[in-house]
Amino acid sequence: TIEQHKLNDIDFFIQSATQIKTNPDLFFYKNDLLFFENFIEYLKTNNKKALNNCKIAINNFGLLGMTEYGQQIQLFFDKYRKNR
């Protein structure tokens, strides 16, 4: 969705996913959701709080020992973030 600049096509998915309660088995997915939901919000509105939440989500991956995945998300973030 982000790569194809179809940011409005994801709203249903985000709304559905945020209704799922977080538990240890789902934490990875919820952290991914935190990143992508906020990244899309940032791309749509230039909301700096959403941008900060993206950075927190990326940092979470490193803190939890998923440094390679966190680095990949950081590369994605850097590539698709608009110069604002």
Side-chain angles (χ1 to χ4, degrees):
T1 298
I2 292 169
E3 292 171 338
Q4 296 174 2
H5 305 287
K6 296 181 180 180
L7 302 179
N8 293 325
D9 294 348
I10 197 75
D11 291 340
F12 173 76
F13 171 75
I14 289 174
Q15 290 172 356
S16 298
T18 56
Q19 293 177 16
I20 299 170
K21 292 185 180 188
T22 302
N23 66 50
D25 293 335
L26 296 177
F27 182 80
F28 167 80
Y29 302 106
K30 294 292 271 193
N31 196 58
D32 259 353
L33 180 62
L34 172 70
F35 172 78
F36 285 108
E37 180 179 14
N38 280 278
F39 194 51
I40 290 167
E41 175 70 20
Y42 169 72
L43 293 175
K44 286 181 174 180
T45 66
N46 200 28
N47 181 332
K48 300 301 181 192
K49 182 178 179 185
L51 185 66
N52 189 53
N53 287 340
C54 289
K55 293 175 183 178
I56 291 169
I58 292 169
N59 191 49
N60 283 344
F61 289 119
L63 291 173
L64 296 172
M66 299 182 69
T67 53
E68 286 185 39
Y69 185 77
Q71 290 170 351
Q72 293 301 312
I73 293 291
Q74 181 69 54
L75 291 172
F76 179 88
F77 176 78
D78 294 340
K79 180 176 180 179
Y80 292 101
R81 186 176 127 191
K82 293 180 182 177
N83 293 328
R84 298 180 182 241

